[in-house]
Amino acid sequence: MANVVVVGSQWGDEGKGKIVDWLSEQADIVVRFQGGHNAGHTLVIDGITYKLSLLPSGVLRPGKLALIGNGVVLDPQALIEEIERIEKQGVSVTPDNLRVAENVALILPLHQELDVAREKASGKGAIGTTGRGIGPAYEDKVGRRAIRLMDLNDLDALGPKIDRLLAHHNALRRGMGLPEIEARVIHHQLAAIAPYVLPFMDTVWSLLDDKRREGKRILFEGAQGALLDIDHGTYPYVTSSNTVAAQAATGSGLGPNAINYVLGICKAYTTRVGAGPFPTELHDAIGQRIGERGREFGTVTGRPRRCGWFDAVLVRQTVRTSGINGLALTKLDILDGFDEIKVCTGYLLDGKKLDYLPASERAQAEVEPVYETIDGWKDATAGARSWADLPAQAIKYVRRVEELVGCPVALLSTSPEREDTILMQNPFEA
């Protein structure tokens, strides 16, 4: 049985939620393997909109097992609030359909406070984080002072771990003019939330290995996008985890040989939330039109997304860094009605042409896009469910994207609705 990894191949917000939900019908297990509740996946099912941040999209389908892997940083309070929210929409979430890795690192209120304080202190140099404590939590994980989910199972042994954590954080807080935190406050917070999250705890790596050996189909769900990867993204304007496909193995506890297919999600244009380089960004009426038609506002933050033409250079680069086998192209319908559409095929930097985005922060900010102009189409693609339903010029656009990024389009999404999807290659059967 094939196991599939879904990753964003731009700066996130590519429509992974819908694609994962669409694919999860064929999967037995859906796994989140990195990020935290800074992710935002919007799904529209039978006219009902669901917004998920921590929960894998598989929880919306009966009979599927959703797993949160060790590569995630988990805000336990946010998890319980999200569960309560979607249960009000009629979705049942219990230990029967959700498990959380015992070794997942926790996000605490002090992480969020530090995140917000740092952003404010950075002024114009702010990264543009969601202020949810993701970065500070990953720092503590790497610094070997994190509180992990399993630690809540032994509250009497928490004292030394909290002391080690606060030795670091209180020094930071003093330097930033924030009041110090007493250990008893942290202990009380953890003791209060423990009964609600511990029932979901499991040894996820072992569970996954057992299911794989049983022949179950596993779908790995990425958050953010490959261009926000801590190593391969537009550093320092990135997230604090690896978002490329290889993290699916590390962040779940399965070896890389368990991955059979990598599906990259990308919009038919480009968007970005927050600060950082964006070579094809449009500051004109066209960019505004794309944003309004695409309803480009962050699921988590509500911030308007920056919009621009499709950047084939960036997607071609992420195809290589994530080992992408096929693309799911989303929001093609947003380009309906344009007289002409531009695609970035390369960059100019100091008079030299580049076919990749350089790693230098200065160079990333100064590259100029080289465009190819393609005729648009007047007929609607919205709601199309077969290749034959698409205007001829829209098909030409898709084929040109495939040529430029060096990867076939496996799925084509033409609206937020689950069924408005055209399948060219089934990742589970490729």
Side-chain angles (χ1 to χ4, degrees), residues 217-253:
R217 284 180 166 180
I218 304 170
L219 182 61
F220 298 89
E221 177 182 12
Q224 289 89 42
L227 294 173
L228 294 174
D229 185 274
I230 189 67
D231 291 307
H232 301 287
T234 48
Y235 190 91
Y237 301 97
V238 292
T239 194
S240 298
S241 63
N242 287 110
T243 57
V244 293
Q247 179 63 16
T250 307
S252 68

Side-chain angles (χ1 to χ4, degrees), residues 128-149:
T129 75
T130 59
R132 307 248 165 157
I134 310 298
Y138 273 117
E139 290 174 34
D140 283 345
K141 176 180 178 178
V142 175
R144 293 165 292 183
R145 56 183 171 264
I147 305 295
R148 302 195 291 178
L149 181 59

Side-chain angles (χ1 to χ4, degrees), residues 294-424:
R295 299 179 182 178
E296 296 296 349
F297 297 92
T299 301
V300 170
T301 64
R303 291 181 293 183
R305 298 179 184 130
R306 301 153 63 190
C307 298
W309 294 120
F310 185 83
D311 192 329
V313 182
L314 293 180
V315 176
R316 182 169 64 240
Q317 195 160 320
T318 57
V319 163
R320 297 166 71 178
T321 58
S322 270
I324 292 172
N325 302 104
L327 290 173
L329 190 65
T330 67
K331 291 198 166 185
L332 181 66
D333 54 302
I334 305 305
L335 298 182
D336 291 354
F338 280 90
D339 293 328
E340 61 180 31
I341 299 167
K342 293 184 178 180
V343 177
C344 176
T345 59
Y347 303 129
L348 288 177
L349 179 64
D350 300 327
K352 297 180 180 179
K353 189 169 183 179
L354 299 177
D355 61 357
Y356 67 96
L357 185 68
S360 160
E361 182 180 356
R362 181 199 68 82
Q364 290 178 355
E366 295 182 2
V367 294
E368 298 178 10
V370 176
Y371 286 117
E372 175 180 308
T373 301
I374 300 173
D375 290 337
W377 54 89
K378 298 299 182 183
D379 294 333
T381 64
R385 298 184 180 182
S386 72
W387 198 246
D389 293 336
L390 296 175
Q393 196 58 41
I395 294 174
K396 289 182 181 179
Y397 179 75
V398 174
R399 293 304 189 201
R400 184 56 179 151
V401 165
E402 291 178 320
E403 292 173 357
L404 290 171
V405 303
C407 185
V409 171
L411 292 160
L412 194 62
S413 173
T414 57
S415 94
E417 290 290 343
R418 176 189 279 173
E419 301 305 324
D420 291 342
T421 306
I422 301 172
L423 176 66
M424 277 79 84

